[in-house]
Amino acid sequence: MLDDFTHEPRIAYFSMEIALRNEIPTYSGGLGVLAGDTLRSAADLELPLVAVTLVSRAGYFRQEIDPQGKQIEHPDMWDPSRWATRLKAGVAISIEGRDVWVSGWLYILQGHMNGRVPVILLDTDLPLNGNEDREITHHLYGGDLAYRLKQEIVLGVGGALILQALGFEIRQYHMNEGHSALLALELLRRYAYPPDDVRAGENPYDIPRVRELCNFTTHTPVEAGQDKFPYDLVHRTLGDIVNIPTIKSLAGEDNLNMTRLVLNLSEYVNGVAKSHAEISRKLYPGYRVHAITNGVHPYTWTHPAFAKLYDTHLPSWCHEPEILVRADRIPDAAIWEAHTQAKNDLIEKVKTLTGIELHPKIPIIGFARRMTEYKRPDLLFSDIQRLKTIAQERTFQIVLAGKAHPRDEGGKHLIELLHTHIRDLADSIRIAYLPNYDMDIALAMVSGVDIWLNTPLRPLEASGTSGMKAAFNGVPSLSVMDGWWVEGWIEGVTGWAIGDSAESANGDDATSLYNKLLQVALPLYYMDRPAWISMMKGAICKNASFFNSHRMMRRYATEAYIR
Ligand SMILES: *Cc1c(COP(=O)(O)O)cnc(C)c1O
């Protein structure tokens, strides 16, 4: 089966998390979903990629929420043998001076059309390894710093070695975020000059050759978000794969900064939206940072009712989503009918999962994403009295969802806080919080709500992608001017801005949000249905046609992979 894929040189795409499908819980949020959409588009466009990630047998976690709003985390075990085939090859890497065996699974990602992309799921849970080492690939983002470093060694070093062992010829490497940066160290080791050619004190590694092979996409707009490991830990765990003075010159003197390392060893570096690239240039002076704005996979993020509509009116949309610019030709009634179906599906799901019955004729505001402080899920609730007053004038309903990282106390506290608000508002606004946010719930929500809300603290949302998914379903965004929305926003055409410009302070965002809801969005919904539907079409025509992962991958292909 592997022979189908090893006969031609490929781009190796490395990511700590990849959302392959809803049944495979090897992702925690936007980064993993983006990686999945990247591969789905690569398959549809028949680009020669091979992806490498960890098998994460215990998944991220399954979220339960108790009546008080406390998040309870359960392992989310999955069985790789149900979906993938065991690889016959294995490689040994050195961790804490021991040989740790790395093998894995071949998952074949089937495109919506003919293409396929092989995905290697790295696995250390092998009888040859001791118990501790068998657990390295169990928990996505689990454990402490030492555990994380071991995972990143398996991903970067183990991943590079296993591609070689399986007979893949790699033309370029693409690192999705810094977790796989140790891959670049393995390449340095592989392309070291023969010892006899190196004079004492000279750098023994062919750095230009490694740089030529590497591409890096950064997703974090802040220094604090980067993986850093103290050198004593690195030395103890990784040994001397590359001499420490060389690593220090590339990755920082004090700590091994994974982002620095990969910046110094990648010829092509990009941010995930125009504004994020600008911020990254300030964060990393002296590096050339390109911008390729994220996108989402058309077929995956379109509700079947809208897919049917596009199939009828714009039949090539799955291959060339640009054609959605012509979605304004679709009759209003058909758009509304498709939306009504998606909304009914969401209402059904909300009832099944929470027992709450939402009303099909009342607008639904949706908010779902990783629960963490900078995303400000509580902004909508910052003035409960005001929110009640708005609801008395123009009634609306709210659907929320999201997981907090098990060690993000702030995020977990926010989930509890939201549940307090839900109880306090029980008599005035119907609000549901759906547990265990995943791809399936995401599609139901982005297609079934009427307004998609996004309230990050600027400039912390590098891109954000859920609003793009909403656009594929004709759902306008009400969003702070950050990430992709700086490019996607046309006031009154694709949605609305919260706060007036990217430069203004974050302080008044709540007031701006309430004003937009009460004075603009809700009146339009209730008073002028044709104008509302033309807004829905605006989201499809102007945003879905552009913010899709086909366009994104065509750009990676022409600007990063072929250069
Ligand atoms: C799309 C998606 C995300 C990312 O949403 P953002 O708005 O970019 O934060 C997170 N989790 C799931 C399950 C998703 O489908």
Side-chain angles (χ1 to χ4, degrees):
M1 206 156 20
L2 261 175
D3 299 347
D4 293 356
F5 302 108
T6 50
H7 67 278
E8 61 175 337
R10 288 183 178 262
I11 314 293
Y13 182 83
F14 280 65
S15 183
M16 183 61 103
E17 51 171 313
I18 305 182
L20 296 168
R21 56 188 300 142
N22 198 56
E23 296 89 339
I24 302 184
T26 54
Y27 64 96
S28 79
L31 183 74
V33 174
L34 177 82
D37 285 356
T38 294
L39 303 187
R40 285 181 273 276
S41 279
D44 288 350
L45 302 176
E46 300 188 35
L47 295 174
L49 260 73
V50 52
V52 180
T53 188
L54 303 187
V55 71
S56 301
R57 280 171 186 262
Y60 182 45
F61 67 89
R62 185 171 60 76
Q63 180 196 51
E64 188 193 335
I65 298 178
D66 81 3
Q68 270 59 54
K70 261 202 177 14
Q71 169 174 292
I72 302 163
E73 296 127 20
H74 302 280
D76 200 0
M77 302 302 299
W78 71 287
D79 178 6
S81 70
R82 256 198 78 197
W83 301 99
T85 14
R86 202 178 257 293
L87 295 173
K88 295 203 174 68
V91 296
I93 57 176
S94 170
I95 291 181
E96 293 171 344
R98 298 184 296 281
D99 275 348
V100 173
W101 287 89
V102 182
S103 183
W105 303 81
L106 172 67
Y107 174 85
I108 298 176
L109 186 139
Q110 192 74 47
H112 171 54
M113 288 166 276
N114 293 320
R116 301 183 304 165
V117 168
V119 181
I120 308 297
L121 302 160
L122 300 168
D123 193 357
T124 60
D125 194 349
L126 306 168
L128 283 166
N129 290 328
N131 283 341
E132 196 190 331
D133 294 333
R134 292 180 73 149
E135 290 196 8
I136 296 175
T137 54
H138 281 193
H139 302 276
L140 178 62
Y141 302 130
D144 56 7
L145 202 62
Y147 183 77
R148 277 291 276 280
L149 180 57
K150 290 183 203 170
Q151 288 195 322
E152 297 189 9
I153 295 171
V154 170
L155 178 64
V157 180
L161 288 172
I162 210 151
L163 286 176
Q164 201 173 35
L166 293 171
F168 280 98
E169 186 190 334
I170 303 304
R171 48 194 290 177
Q172 288 283 312
Y173 294 87
H174 184 173
M175 288 168 266
N176 188 41
E177 196 44 292
H179 308 119
S180 50
L182 299 175
L183 151 69
L185 284 190
E186 168 56 25
L187 296 178
L188 278 187
R189 192 194 58 80
R190 189 177 297 176
Y191 300 119
Y193 298 119
D196 292 349
D197 295 357
V198 182
R199 268 179 283 169
E202 268 188 5
N203 157 50
Y205 303 103
D206 192 348
I207 292 176
R209 179 161 183 194
V210 172
R211 280 182 58 96
E212 206 38 66
L213 284 169
C214 289
N215 303 276
F216 171 49
T217 301
T218 170
H219 295 261
T220 23
V222 281
E223 179 79 24
Q226 301 163 358
D227 267 341
K228 291 188 198 97
F229 299 106
Y231 279 113
D232 57 342
L233 178 69
V234 172
H235 191 68
R236 211 163 52 237
T237 317
L238 186 59
D240 48 8
I241 171 175
V242 165
N243 69 47
I244 292 279
T246 303
I247 300 185
K248 286 190 172 173
S249 72
L250 295 165
E253 285 298 320
D254 307 332
N255 287 301
L256 192 160
N257 179 325
M258 297 288 271
T259 305
R260 283 278 155 205
L261 178 64
V262 71
L263 278 172
N264 281 320
L265 290 174
S266 298
E267 188 64 35
Y268 185 91
V269 174
N270 77 288
V272 289
K274 285 190 169 61
S275 65
H276 174 238
E278 249 169 65
I279 286 158
S280 304
R281 283 177 208 124
K282 284 184 198 141
L283 207 55
Y284 317 120
Y287 296 93
R288 185 158 178 225
V289 182
H290 303 259
I292 296 184
T293 302
N294 282 165
V296 299
H297 185 250
Y299 186 75
T300 303
W301 296 110
T302 302
H303 185 278
F306 271 98
K308 210 168 136 219
L309 208 52
Y310 300 154
D311 283 344
T312 307
H313 294 271
L314 306 159
S316 66
W317 73 284
C318 277
H319 183 70
E320 42 169 10
E322 307 89 293
I323 202 74
L324 293 172
V325 295
R326 303 179 62 116
D328 51 357
R329 304 277 182 104
I330 302 173
D332 281 14
I335 296 271
W336 192 249
E337 171 56 29
H339 175 64
T340 305
Q341 279 187 42
K343 190 167 179 177
N344 286 337
D345 285 354
L346 174 64
I347 290 172
E348 189 66 37
K349 197 172 205 83
V350 169
K351 191 174 169 206
T352 312
L353 292 174
T354 67
I356 296 170
E357 294 200 44
L358 299 178
H359 198 291
K361 294 242 150 74
I362 299 177
I364 303 176
I365 299 173
F367 182 103
R369 39 185 58 80
R370 246 173 349 103
M371 284 291 156
T372 191
E373 277 168 351
Y374 87 82
K375 294 194 184 247
R376 298 192 292 181
D378 53 334
L379 190 79
L380 179 62
F381 303 95
S382 37
D383 183 344
I384 296 287
Q385 204 42 54
R386 179 89 209 268
L387 198 63
K388 274 190 188 171
T389 318
I390 296 172
Q392 276 159 11
E393 208 156 319
R394 307 249 186 225
T395 182
F396 58 88
Q397 326 172 80
I398 303 172
V399 180
L400 306 165
K403 295 177 178 179
H405 187 280
R407 266 170 293 133
D408 180 358
E409 292 306 325
K412 293 210 254 194
H413 175 70
L414 280 167
I415 298 177
E416 284 188 64
L417 190 65
L418 291 177
H419 281 79
T420 316
H421 295 320
I422 294 172
R423 281 194 299 275
D424 292 348
L425 289 162
D427 295 333
S428 31
I429 306 174
R430 255 177 262 200
I431 311 177
Y433 195 109
L434 305 184
N436 203 36
Y437 189 46
D438 62 7
M439 288 176 79
D440 190 44
I441 293 178
L443 176 59
M445 285 185 67
V446 296
S447 61
V449 303
D450 296 281
I451 298 172
W452 191 251
L453 182 67
N454 181 38
T455 53
L457 194 64
R458 281 180 298 264
L460 300 182
E461 193 62 274
S463 163
T465 52
S466 57
M468 304 174 184
K469 301 170 192 167
F472 268 90
N473 298 283
V475 172
S477 284
L478 170 57
S479 170
V480 160
M481 299 297 292
D482 202 12
W484 83 280
W485 190 237
V486 177
E487 294 160 63
W489 165 68
I490 308 172
E491 186 70 14
V493 176
T494 58
W496 309 270
I498 299 172
D500 284 329
S501 81
E503 282 78 40
S504 78
N506 290 298
D508 268 347
D509 287 349
T511 310
S512 168
L513 163 57
Y514 293 138
N515 289 344
K516 279 279 158 76
L517 263 185
L518 181 64
Q519 293 159 14
V520 186
L522 294 171
L524 194 72
Y525 183 91
Y526 282 112
M527 311 291 288
D528 192 347
R529 193 50 49 84
W532 183 269
I533 294 171
S534 106
M535 183 110 195
M536 296 178 69
K537 289 181 175 177
I540 303 167
C541 294
K542 302 275 196 284
N543 282 348
S545 65
F546 183 83
F547 296 98
N548 58 75
S549 47
H550 284 16
R551 184 243 340 132
M552 177 183 84
M553 286 315 285
R554 286 179 170 119
R555 288 203 49 199
Y556 277 113
T558 54
E559 290 166 42
Y561 304 158
I562 305 175
R563 54 180 159 78

